[in-house]
Amino acid sequence: MIAHDVQDLLDSLAMAVGRGMAVDDPEGRVVAHSVHHGEVDQVRAQAILSRSVPAEVEVWQEAHGVATTREPVRIPANPALGMAARLCVPLLHRGRRVGSLWIIEGGGPLSSEEEARTVRDAAAIAALLDGGGSSHTLRRLLNGEITVRRAAGILGEGPLRVLAVRVPAGRGDAVRGDGSRGDAVRGDLVRGDGSRGDAVRDDGSRGDAVRDDGSRGDAVRDDGAGGDAVPGDGSRGGAVPGEPGGLAGAVGDELSRMRRPPAFAVVDRHAVLLLNGGEDASALGESLAARAGGLVGVSAVHPGLGSLRQAYGEAVAAARAAAAEPALGPVARWPELGVYRLLADPTAYSLGSLREHPALAVTLETYLDHGGDAQETARLLHLHRTSLYYRLARIEELTGRSLKDGTQRLELHLALKLARWNAV
């Protein structure tokens, strides 16, 4: 849910700077507050209980420019009101104020580094508050909790790609919103056909994902808190690896620069973006990879939201392939994954028109089975070497693959064996 996303970011930030914090909407109602970090003065305690700010406190705040500021502003302590000093950071998104972030500074002001991180994370919180409807809808659609028809009114219709930003390997367990630690789903590739190992099934059910080690892990969660977050690149002000705020904050920073940001949600170990507004997937992927310090996967183009989960699976698989094969990254595209497409989905490559030429398929399999030994292949198939070379050239033409490229040869070889396997 939107509130959970905001709560995760707020708790992550509060833990990083060690201060009590709260988020208010434009009407002064409390949207979220930090639970375990920093002090809580009398005013904040009362606001948390009543979900609103007392009138006399509001007057004191407005006297220091809170209502109109576009920049962080400090409010001095007011002992008569039971109010410690605090910093107010306006939550701005697309030039519109969507709330305020309050940080209690009774023990002294934030350092410049802490304030810089606070301002950056505030941008991500603002994006969630302003675009939370699309974020929530995207996650619910991935979970199969709403129909495509209902989601289309919020997410839009038409051709789409999905972009997934993945935490690099070895960044540790997930950090949940309550501060406890939990494993993210490890190594599962989500397929569009709902086969075993999917975090999101095609029928919309909410089963556990199966990890590589055989243990069970959470499927895609409503709160998005279930996966590792990508830490910052230094410009993020020291986001801690594994914090939900690290990944969501980095993506929120980048999207806040866009005139029409796409819908995004933190799902499992990934920030998932729905690209259906003509966005340049490659350029955005490169920017996100640089800002978040992560790896990016981009799906193929799909006709609409009906194939969103298939596109999600492709993007997640592409991001995983980038982690497995650095030559593919930092932005890997599903149509260009080669053999990794087959590892993610054994039905992903059908050998194309080679199926219509059985003699060529036999020639290719024999050639690959014997390590590309043309002389032995010609002998076994009773072909003249010239005829064999003609067939091999024709195979390259039909498949669009080069037999001089080891990875492309492996892709073809595996596809041939999978065709045999799937036929029985």
Side-chain angles (χ1 to χ4, degrees):
M1 295 175 64
I2 306 164
H4 291 166
D5 290 336
V6 172
Q7 188 68 55
D8 282 345
L9 274 169
L10 192 66
D11 283 338
S12 172
L13 178 59
M15 181 170 61
V17 303
R19 307 298 180 102
M21 300 184 180
V23 172
D24 295 350
D25 68 14
E27 304 302 319
R29 294 176 295 231
V30 178
V31 174
H33 62 90
S34 58
V35 179
H36 302 298
H37 309 289
E39 64 178 304
V40 177
D41 61 13
Q42 180 181 329
V43 167
R44 180 50 57 192
Q46 184 177 349
I48 290 171
L49 291 174
S50 65
R51 311 301 292 183
S52 63
V53 177
E56 60 273 21
V57 173
E58 189 173 354
V59 170
W60 176 253
Q61 292 173 166
E62 290 184 358
H64 293 85
V66 167
T68 58
T69 184
R70 310 286 290 181
E71 301 290 338
V73 60
R74 284 189 159 83
I75 314 299
N78 188 326
L81 295 175
M83 180 177 175
R86 54 206 344 103
L87 175 68
C88 174
V89 181
L91 297 176
L92 305 172
H93 190 237
R94 304 180 193 174
R96 195 164 64 87
R97 184 161 183 163
V98 296
S100 301
L101 171 63
W102 295 91
I103 302 94
I104 296 179
E105 294 186 309
L110 299 178
S111 68
S112 58
E113 293 80 8
E114 290 171 337
E115 185 171 338
R117 166 159 183 179
T118 298
V119 170
R120 282 190 290 267
D121 281 10
I125 292 172
L128 284 171
L129 290 175
D130 198 29
S134 60
S135 173
H136 185 45
T137 301
L138 175 60
R139 187 179 298 109
R140 292 187 68 201
L141 184 56
L142 283 171
N143 279 333
E145 296 171 0
I146 58 172
T147 65
V148 168
R149 183 176 179 181
R150 285 184 60 191
I154 297 174
L155 298 178
E157 299 177 303
L160 62 85
R161 283 187 174 125
V162 168
L163 184 152
V165 186
R166 172 191 170 103
V167 62
R171 295 295 179 128
D173 294 338
V175 177
R176 299 194 180 101
D178 61 4
S180 62
R181 300 196 68 82
D183 291 339
V185 178
R186 296 173 184 165
D188 296 325
L189 293 176
V190 184
R191 303 191 186 100
D193 62 2
S195 57
R196 178 178 173 83
D198 291 355
V200 182
R201 298 191 183 117
D202 204 40
D203 63 2
S205 61
R206 296 286 311 283
D208 289 343
V210 181
R211 300 191 182 108
D212 286 341
D213 60 7
S215 60
R216 309 289 298 183
D218 293 339
V220 175
R221 299 177 183 159
D222 286 339
D223 61 6
D228 293 344
V230 179
D233 57 3
S235 63
R236 295 281 310 132
V240 178
E243 289 181 5
L247 180 54
V251 174
D253 282 354
E254 187 63 31
L255 297 189
S256 67
R257 303 166 184 266
M258 300 176 64
R259 185 177 61 84
R260 184 178 178 272
F264 91 96
V266 177
V267 178
D268 183 39
R269 301 169 54 168
H270 304 78
V272 179
L273 287 74
L274 172 63
L275 308 183
N276 61 352
E279 299 90 350
D280 186 332
S282 295
L284 180 57
E286 289 171 3
S287 295
L288 288 170
R291 179 173 290 273
L295 300 165
V296 175
V298 181
S299 74
V301 177
H302 288 264
L305 292 175
S307 54
L308 174 67
R309 278 176 284 175
Q310 181 182 349
Y312 167 75
E314 291 175 359
V316 169
R320 184 180 181 184
E325 181 61 74
L328 292 172
V331 180
R333 299 157 187 82
W334 173 258
E336 301 169 9
L337 294 188
V339 70
Y340 290 99
R341 285 181 58 184
L342 292 171
L343 296 177
D345 181 358
T347 67
Y349 184 61
S350 64
L351 293 173
S353 57
L354 194 63
R355 288 179 174 275
E356 302 170 9
H357 303 273
L360 293 182
V362 170
T363 300
L364 176 60
E365 188 168 16
T366 304
Y367 178 73
L368 295 174
D369 282 347
H370 291 83
D373 187 328
Q375 182 175 342
E376 180 64 8
T377 302
R379 185 188 70 80
L380 291 169
L381 297 177
H382 307 289
L383 291 173
H384 190 278
R385 291 275 289 273
T386 302
S387 298
L388 173 62
Y389 290 137
Y390 170 80
R391 288 191 182 188
L392 295 178
R394 180 65 174 148
I395 288 167
E396 290 182 321
E397 179 183 341
L398 291 172
T399 62
R401 303 295 191 272
S402 170
L403 294 175
K404 295 178 181 178
D405 185 303
T407 58
Q408 294 184 24
R409 283 167 58 168
L410 176 59
E411 179 186 4
L412 289 170
H413 205 179
L414 184 55
L416 287 164
K417 299 308 180 186
L418 282 171
R420 288 184 177 276
W421 178 266
N422 293 330
V424 297

